[in-house]
Structures are given as structure tokens and as C-alpha cells.
mmCIF file of all heavy atoms in Angstrom:
data_model
loop_
_atom_site.group_PDB
_atom_site.id
_atom_site.type_symbol
_atom_site.label_atom_id
_atom_site.label_comp_id
_atom_site.label_asym_id
_atom_site.label_seq_id
_atom_site.Cartn_x
_atom_site.Cartn_y
_atom_site.Cartn_z
ATOM 1 N N SER U 1 96.945 78.374 193.162
ATOM 2 C CA SER U 1 97.426 77.172 193.873
ATOM 3 C C SER U 1 97.206 75.931 192.917
ATOM 4 O O SER U 1 96.377 75.825 192.290
ATOM 5 C CB SER U 1 96.573 76.966 195.112
ATOM 6 O OG SER U 1 96.940 75.811 195.794
ATOM 7 N N GLY U 2 98.440 75.152 192.933
ATOM 8 C CA GLY U 2 98.560 74.008 192.098
ATOM 9 C C GLY U 2 99.057 74.308 190.783
ATOM 10 O O GLY U 2 99.218 73.398 189.892
ATOM 11 N N PHE U 3 99.443 75.574 190.585
ATOM 12 C CA PHE U 3 100.049 75.883 189.127
ATOM 13 C C PHE U 3 101.281 75.143 188.971
ATOM 14 O O PHE U 3 102.165 75.029 189.803
ATOM 15 C CB PHE U 3 100.237 77.330 189.081
ATOM 16 C CG PHE U 3 101.268 77.799 187.935
ATOM 17 C CD1 PHE U 3 100.682 77.923 186.722
ATOM 18 C CD2 PHE U 3 102.516 77.996 188.266
ATOM 19 C CE1 PHE U 3 101.576 78.127 185.714
ATOM 20 C CE2 PHE U 3 103.360 78.310 187.153
ATOM 21 C CZ PHE U 3 102.889 78.384 185.935
ATOM 22 N N THR U 4 101.461 74.620 187.711
ATOM 23 C CA THR U 4 102.692 74.019 187.303
ATOM 24 C C THR U 4 102.949 74.280 185.877
ATOM 25 O O THR U 4 102.018 74.405 184.978
ATOM 26 C CB THR U 4 102.545 72.408 187.527
ATOM 27 O OG1 THR U 4 103.754 71.828 186.924
ATOM 28 C CG2 THR U 4 101.361 71.877 186.885
ATOM 29 N N LEU U 5 104.284 74.394 185.521
ATOM 30 C CA LEU U 5 104.635 74.565 184.112
ATOM 31 C C LEU U 5 104.204 73.492 183.199
ATOM 32 O O LEU U 5 104.134 73.608 182.015
ATOM 33 C CB LEU U 5 106.077 74.795 184.095
ATOM 34 C CG LEU U 5 106.784 76.157 184.546
ATOM 35 C CD1 LEU U 5 108.192 76.171 184.444
ATOM 36 C CD2 LEU U 5 106.073 77.374 183.551
ATOM 37 N N ASN U 6 103.912 72.382 183.863
ATOM 38 C CA ASN U 6 103.542 71.100 182.958
ATOM 39 C C ASN U 6 102.258 71.305 182.215
ATOM 40 O O ASN U 6 101.881 70.622 181.333
ATOM 41 C CB ASN U 6 103.388 69.952 183.845
ATOM 42 C CG ASN U 6 104.726 69.416 184.205
ATOM 43 O OD1 ASN U 6 105.751 69.514 183.467
ATOM 44 N ND2 ASN U 6 104.925 68.847 185.470
ATOM 45 N N TYR U 7 101.551 72.444 182.624
ATOM 46 C CA TYR U 7 100.321 72.727 181.885
ATOM 47 C C TYR U 7 100.439 73.845 180.909
ATOM 48 O O TYR U 7 99.407 74.160 180.193
ATOM 49 C CB TYR U 7 99.152 73.186 183.006
ATOM 50 C CG TYR U 7 98.780 72.152 183.959
ATOM 51 C CD1 TYR U 7 98.404 72.479 185.211
ATOM 52 C CD2 TYR U 7 98.825 70.757 183.687
ATOM 53 C CE1 TYR U 7 98.022 71.589 186.179
ATOM 54 C CE2 TYR U 7 98.503 69.807 184.642
ATOM 55 C CZ TYR U 7 98.020 70.213 185.855
ATOM 56 O OH TYR U 7 97.664 69.233 186.844
ATOM 57 N N TYR U 8 101.624 74.419 180.709
ATOM 58 C CA TYR U 8 101.693 75.499 179.766
ATOM 59 C C TYR U 8 102.941 75.386 178.894
ATOM 60 O O TYR U 8 104.056 75.032 179.312
ATOM 61 C CB TYR U 8 101.935 76.724 180.654
ATOM 62 C CG TYR U 8 100.706 77.221 181.435
ATOM 63 C CD1 TYR U 8 100.595 76.757 182.711
ATOM 64 C CD2 TYR U 8 99.801 77.977 180.835
ATOM 65 C CE1 TYR U 8 99.453 77.002 183.478
ATOM 66 C CE2 TYR U 8 98.644 78.401 181.628
ATOM 67 C CZ TYR U 8 98.450 77.836 182.922
ATOM 68 O OH TYR U 8 97.248 78.148 183.595
ATOM 69 N N ALA U 9 102.679 75.730 177.650
ATOM 70 C CA ALA U 9 103.821 75.978 176.723
ATOM 71 C C ALA U 9 104.357 77.397 177.036
ATOM 72 O O ALA U 9 103.600 78.258 177.260
ATOM 73 C CB ALA U 9 103.367 75.793 175.305
ATOM 74 N N ILE U 10 105.692 77.501 177.052
ATOM 75 C CA ILE U 10 106.310 78.840 177.267
ATOM 76 C C ILE U 10 107.154 79.174 176.021
ATOM 77 O O ILE U 10 107.895 78.391 175.467
ATOM 78 C CB ILE U 10 107.171 78.685 178.474
ATOM 79 C CG1 ILE U 10 106.422 78.408 179.574
ATOM 80 C CG2 ILE U 10 107.741 80.100 178.620
ATOM 81 C CD1 ILE U 10 105.367 79.252 180.123
ATOM 82 N N GLY U 11 107.007 80.479 175.659
ATOM 83 C CA GLY U 11 107.799 80.961 174.445
ATOM 84 C C GLY U 11 108.424 82.154 174.761
ATOM 85 O O GLY U 11 108.196 82.948 175.698
ATOM 86 N N TRP U 12 109.496 82.390 174.079
ATOM 87 C CA TRP U 12 110.300 83.668 174.239
ATOM 88 C C TRP U 12 110.208 84.433 172.899
ATOM 89 O O TRP U 12 110.333 83.733 171.763
ATOM 90 C CB TRP U 12 111.792 83.400 174.439
ATOM 91 C CG TRP U 12 112.146 82.955 175.899
ATOM 92 C CD1 TRP U 12 112.351 81.812 176.421
ATOM 93 C CD2 TRP U 12 112.312 83.911 176.942
ATOM 94 N NE1 TRP U 12 112.639 81.818 177.758
ATOM 95 C CE2 TRP U 12 112.701 83.184 178.119
ATOM 96 C CE3 TRP U 12 112.254 85.302 177.015
ATOM 97 C CZ2 TRP U 12 112.827 83.780 179.370
ATOM 98 C CZ3 TRP U 12 112.521 85.981 178.280
ATOM 99 C CH2 TRP U 12 112.836 85.179 179.368
ATOM 100 N N PHE U 13 109.911 85.615 173.030
ATOM 101 C CA PHE U 13 109.625 86.511 171.768
ATOM 102 C C PHE U 13 110.555 87.774 172.013
ATOM 103 O O PHE U 13 110.973 88.115 173.057
ATOM 104 C CB PHE U 13 108.251 86.934 171.677
ATOM 105 C CG PHE U 13 107.392 85.729 171.376
ATOM 106 C CD1 PHE U 13 106.950 84.878 172.389
ATOM 107 C CD2 PHE U 13 106.940 85.350 170.052
ATOM 108 C CE1 PHE U 13 106.150 83.736 172.170
ATOM 109 C CE2 PHE U 13 106.140 84.321 169.777
ATOM 110 C CZ PHE U 13 105.755 83.534 170.922
ATOM 111 N N ARG U 14 110.795 88.449 170.970
ATOM 112 C CA ARG U 14 111.591 89.700 171.020
ATOM 113 C C ARG U 14 111.070 90.677 169.939
ATOM 114 O O ARG U 14 110.523 90.353 169.007
ATOM 115 C CB ARG U 14 112.990 89.340 170.746
ATOM 116 C CG ARG U 14 113.470 89.043 169.375
ATOM 117 C CD ARG U 14 114.892 88.583 169.316
ATOM 118 N NE ARG U 14 115.285 88.275 168.010
ATOM 119 C CZ ARG U 14 116.619 87.795 167.743
ATOM 120 N NH1 ARG U 14 117.578 87.736 168.685
ATOM 121 N NH2 ARG U 14 116.840 87.573 166.456
ATOM 122 N N GLN U 15 111.234 91.922 170.483
ATOM 123 C CA GLN U 15 110.751 93.053 169.504
ATOM 124 C C GLN U 15 111.862 94.136 169.510
ATOM 125 O O GLN U 15 112.103 94.791 170.614
ATOM 126 C CB GLN U 15 109.465 93.604 169.819
ATOM 127 C CG GLN U 15 108.897 94.463 168.805
ATOM 128 C CD GLN U 15 107.376 94.788 169.032
ATOM 129 O OE1 GLN U 15 106.827 94.695 170.017
ATOM 130 N NE2 GLN U 15 106.692 95.102 167.871
ATOM 131 N N ALA U 16 112.424 94.473 168.398
ATOM 132 C CA ALA U 16 113.370 95.490 168.248
ATOM 133 C C ALA U 16 112.652 96.800 167.729
ATOM 134 O O ALA U 16 111.576 96.702 167.181
ATOM 135 C CB ALA U 16 114.443 95.169 167.276
ATOM 136 N N PRO U 17 113.146 97.936 168.065
ATOM 137 C CA PRO U 17 112.542 99.224 167.633
ATOM 138 C C PRO U 17 112.300 99.183 166.025
ATOM 139 O O PRO U 17 113.165 98.942 165.283
ATOM 140 C CB PRO U 17 113.587 100.320 167.979
ATOM 141 C CG PRO U 17 114.318 99.645 169.104
ATOM 142 C CD PRO U 17 114.376 98.285 168.783
ATOM 143 N N GLY U 18 111.006 99.481 165.784
ATOM 144 C CA GLY U 18 110.651 99.604 164.381
ATOM 145 C C GLY U 18 110.510 98.365 163.658
ATOM 146 O O GLY U 18 110.253 98.167 162.413
ATOM 147 N N LYS U 19 110.504 97.122 164.453
ATOM 148 C CA LYS U 19 110.422 95.757 163.832
ATOM 149 C C LYS U 19 109.116 95.155 164.364
ATOM 150 O O LYS U 19 108.776 95.445 165.571
ATOM 151 C CB LYS U 19 111.712 94.994 164.008
ATOM 152 C CG LYS U 19 112.814 95.539 163.106
ATOM 153 C CD LYS U 19 114.069 94.627 163.279
ATOM 154 C CE LYS U 19 115.089 95.150 162.381
ATOM 155 N NZ LYS U 19 116.339 94.229 162.378
ATOM 156 N N GLU U 20 108.713 94.106 163.737
ATOM 157 C CA GLU U 20 107.635 93.242 164.271
ATOM 158 C C GLU U 20 108.201 92.368 165.448
ATOM 159 O O GLU U 20 109.427 91.984 165.399
ATOM 160 C CB GLU U 20 106.956 92.489 163.177
ATOM 161 C CG GLU U 20 106.284 93.328 162.158
ATOM 162 C CD GLU U 20 105.371 92.505 161.159
ATOM 163 O OE1 GLU U 20 105.622 91.290 161.180
ATOM 164 O OE2 GLU U 20 104.685 93.178 160.363
ATOM 165 N N ARG U 21 107.279 91.921 166.217
ATOM 166 C CA ARG U 21 107.590 90.901 167.264
ATOM 167 C C ARG U 21 108.009 89.524 166.494
ATOM 168 O O ARG U 21 107.475 89.187 165.445
ATOM 169 C CB ARG U 21 106.443 90.586 168.094
ATOM 170 C CG ARG U 21 106.724 89.734 169.347
ATOM 171 C CD ARG U 21 105.409 89.533 170.055
ATOM 172 N NE ARG U 21 104.395 88.981 169.337
ATOM 173 C CZ ARG U 21 103.013 89.028 169.689
ATOM 174 N NH1 ARG U 21 102.773 89.696 170.843
ATOM 175 N NH2 ARG U 21 102.043 88.458 168.990
ATOM 176 N N GLU U 22 109.049 88.930 167.140
ATOM 177 C CA GLU U 22 109.584 87.805 166.496
ATOM 178 C C GLU U 22 109.607 86.639 167.489
ATOM 179 O O GLU U 22 110.087 86.803 168.603
ATOM 180 C CB GLU U 22 111.060 88.064 165.985
ATOM 181 C CG GLU U 22 111.762 86.860 165.505
ATOM 182 C CD GLU U 22 113.251 87.126 165.194
ATOM 183 O OE1 GLU U 22 113.812 88.101 165.773
ATOM 184 O OE2 GLU U 22 113.877 86.328 164.414
ATOM 185 N N GLY U 23 109.157 85.486 167.119
ATOM 186 C CA GLY U 23 109.347 84.251 167.931
ATOM 187 C C GLY U 23 110.768 83.776 167.998
ATOM 188 O O GLY U 23 111.355 83.657 166.824
ATOM 189 N N VAL U 24 111.313 83.657 169.176
ATOM 190 C CA VAL U 24 112.723 83.302 169.293
ATOM 191 C C VAL U 24 112.854 81.845 169.631
ATOM 192 O O VAL U 24 113.679 81.145 169.073
ATOM 193 C CB VAL U 24 113.416 84.260 170.481
ATOM 194 C CG1 VAL U 24 114.854 83.648 170.598
ATOM 195 C CG2 VAL U 24 113.405 85.626 170.064
ATOM 196 N N SER U 25 112.113 81.330 170.644
ATOM 197 C CA SER U 25 112.183 79.922 171.093
ATOM 198 C C SER U 25 111.031 79.653 171.926
ATOM 199 O O SER U 25 110.283 80.520 172.380
ATOM 200 C CB SER U 25 113.609 79.762 171.898
ATOM 201 O OG SER U 25 113.626 78.337 172.217
ATOM 202 N N GLY U 26 110.669 78.306 172.004
ATOM 203 C CA GLY U 26 109.625 77.845 172.779
ATOM 204 C C GLY U 26 109.824 76.482 173.332
ATOM 205 O O GLY U 26 110.578 75.760 172.685
ATOM 206 N N ILE U 27 109.125 76.030 174.390
ATOM 207 C CA ILE U 27 109.165 74.754 175.040
ATOM 208 C C ILE U 27 107.767 74.336 175.285
ATOM 209 O O ILE U 27 107.031 75.074 175.600
ATOM 210 C CB ILE U 27 110.175 74.857 176.165
ATOM 211 C CG1 ILE U 27 110.292 73.368 176.649
ATOM 212 C CG2 ILE U 27 109.637 75.650 177.335
ATOM 213 C CD1 ILE U 27 111.490 73.179 177.694
ATOM 214 N N SER U 28 107.395 73.036 174.951
ATOM 215 C CA SER U 28 106.172 72.528 175.085
ATOM 216 C C SER U 28 105.772 72.310 176.581
ATOM 217 O O SER U 28 106.723 72.423 177.487
ATOM 218 C CB SER U 28 106.138 71.200 174.429
ATOM 219 O OG SER U 28 106.912 70.265 175.102
ATOM 220 N N SER U 29 104.465 72.137 176.762
ATOM 221 C CA SER U 29 104.042 72.041 178.261
ATOM 222 C C SER U 29 104.791 70.731 178.845
ATOM 223 O O SER U 29 104.963 70.694 180.107
ATOM 224 C CB SER U 29 102.498 71.873 178.254
ATOM 225 O OG SER U 29 102.082 71.002 177.407
ATOM 226 N N GLY U 30 104.963 69.754 178.008
ATOM 227 C CA GLY U 30 105.573 68.556 178.684
ATOM 228 C C GLY U 30 107.123 68.766 178.796
ATOM 229 O O GLY U 30 107.752 67.802 179.376
ATOM 230 N N GLY U 31 107.624 69.691 178.092
ATOM 231 C CA GLY U 31 109.055 69.999 178.093
ATOM 232 C C GLY U 31 109.882 69.106 177.171
ATOM 233 O O GLY U 31 111.101 69.200 177.243
ATOM 234 N N LEU U 32 109.137 68.411 176.425
ATOM 235 C CA LEU U 32 109.869 67.499 175.412
ATOM 236 C C LEU U 32 110.182 68.063 174.132
ATOM 237 O O LEU U 32 111.078 67.464 173.462
ATOM 238 C CB LEU U 32 109.047 66.172 175.236
ATOM 239 C CG LEU U 32 108.833 65.354 176.555
ATOM 240 C CD1 LEU U 32 108.034 64.014 176.289
ATOM 241 C CD2 LEU U 32 110.276 64.923 177.302
ATOM 242 N N SER U 33 109.405 68.992 173.728
ATOM 243 C CA SER U 33 109.625 69.702 172.395
ATOM 244 C C SER U 33 110.091 71.099 172.522
ATOM 245 O O SER U 33 109.662 71.903 173.432
ATOM 246 C CB SER U 33 108.248 69.710 171.643
ATOM 247 O OG SER U 33 107.891 68.398 171.357
ATOM 248 N N THR U 34 111.042 71.544 171.731
ATOM 249 C CA THR U 34 111.481 72.836 171.650
ATOM 250 C C THR U 34 111.573 73.300 170.088
ATOM 251 O O THR U 34 111.632 72.485 169.326
ATOM 252 C CB THR U 34 112.902 73.013 172.345
ATOM 253 O OG1 THR U 34 113.923 72.198 171.782
ATOM 254 C CG2 THR U 34 112.960 72.581 173.829
ATOM 255 N N ASN U 35 111.678 74.664 170.089
ATOM 256 C CA ASN U 35 111.786 75.162 168.735
ATOM 257 C C ASN U 35 112.546 76.495 168.788
ATOM 258 O O ASN U 35 112.494 77.178 169.866
ATOM 259 C CB ASN U 35 110.328 75.381 168.182
ATOM 260 C CG ASN U 35 110.514 75.477 166.545
ATOM 261 O OD1 ASN U 35 111.616 75.241 166.062
ATOM 262 N ND2 ASN U 35 109.365 75.763 165.943
ATOM 263 N N TYR U 36 113.237 76.635 167.738
ATOM 264 C CA TYR U 36 114.016 77.933 167.744
ATOM 265 C C TYR U 36 113.895 78.675 166.418
ATOM 266 O O TYR U 36 113.768 78.043 165.371
ATOM 267 C CB TYR U 36 115.494 77.562 167.841
ATOM 268 C CG TYR U 36 115.894 77.050 169.188
ATOM 269 C CD1 TYR U 36 115.832 75.641 169.388
ATOM 270 C CD2 TYR U 36 116.210 77.783 170.311
ATOM 271 C CE1 TYR U 36 116.142 75.020 170.662
ATOM 272 C CE2 TYR U 36 116.438 77.183 171.519
ATOM 273 C CZ TYR U 36 116.444 75.801 171.635
ATOM 274 O OH TYR U 36 116.721 75.288 172.863
ATOM 275 N N ALA U 37 114.026 79.948 166.358
ATOM 276 C CA ALA U 37 114.019 80.745 165.084
ATOM 277 C C ALA U 37 115.439 80.428 164.474
ATOM 278 O O ALA U 37 116.412 80.196 165.047
ATOM 279 C CB ALA U 37 113.912 82.124 165.378
ATOM 280 N N ASP U 38 115.391 80.473 163.142
ATOM 281 C CA ASP U 38 116.613 80.197 162.430
ATOM 282 C C ASP U 38 117.662 81.078 162.746
ATOM 283 O O ASP U 38 119.045 80.701 162.888
ATOM 284 C CB ASP U 38 116.368 80.254 160.874
ATOM 285 C CG ASP U 38 115.538 78.973 160.346
ATOM 286 O OD1 ASP U 38 115.483 78.013 160.994
ATOM 287 O OD2 ASP U 38 114.925 79.196 159.290
ATOM 288 N N SER U 39 117.394 82.324 163.171
ATOM 289 C CA SER U 39 118.444 83.280 163.528
ATOM 290 C C SER U 39 119.108 83.084 164.725
ATOM 291 O O SER U 39 120.132 83.689 164.945
ATOM 292 C CB SER U 39 117.855 84.742 163.513
ATOM 293 O OG SER U 39 116.662 84.708 164.435
ATOM 294 N N VAL U 40 118.608 82.160 165.515
ATOM 295 C CA VAL U 40 119.256 81.928 167.003
ATOM 296 C C VAL U 40 119.657 80.494 167.090
ATOM 297 O O VAL U 40 120.314 80.104 167.949
ATOM 298 C CB VAL U 40 118.353 82.310 168.121
ATOM 299 C CG1 VAL U 40 117.853 83.762 167.934
ATOM 300 C CG2 VAL U 40 117.210 81.419 168.235
#
């Protein structure tokens, strides 16, 4: 109860067969900062 995304940074990751997990994108807890992998 009381949970809000404003307290959490959220990231998207991906993993293809035979490959290591890769960070794809993320958004900060305040929602003001984002980041992307060069590939996307």
C-alpha cells in the first residue's frame, strides 16, 4: 500500500539465446532521466 513508481527506477533488459543480458533502456525514479543502449 502506498507504492508509487516515483520511488523506483525502472529498466528494460533483454537476453537473446546464447548471449549475455543487455540493458536496453531505463527511466529514473523521478521520470526526468532516461537512457538507451546505442543499438536502440
Side-chain angles (χ1 to χ4, degrees):
S1 176
F3 163 79
T4 170
L5 283 178
N6 287 325
Y7 296 152
Y8 292 88
I10 303 293
W12 282 99
F13 296 80
R14 66 186 182 187
Q15 189 165 22
K19 294 188 176 181
E20 293 187 355
R21 184 179 62 196
E22 173 189 19
V24 175
S25 182
I27 186 166
S28 64
S29 49
L32 298 179
S33 296
T34 60
N35 200 5
Y36 297 90
D38 288 343
S39 58
V40 306

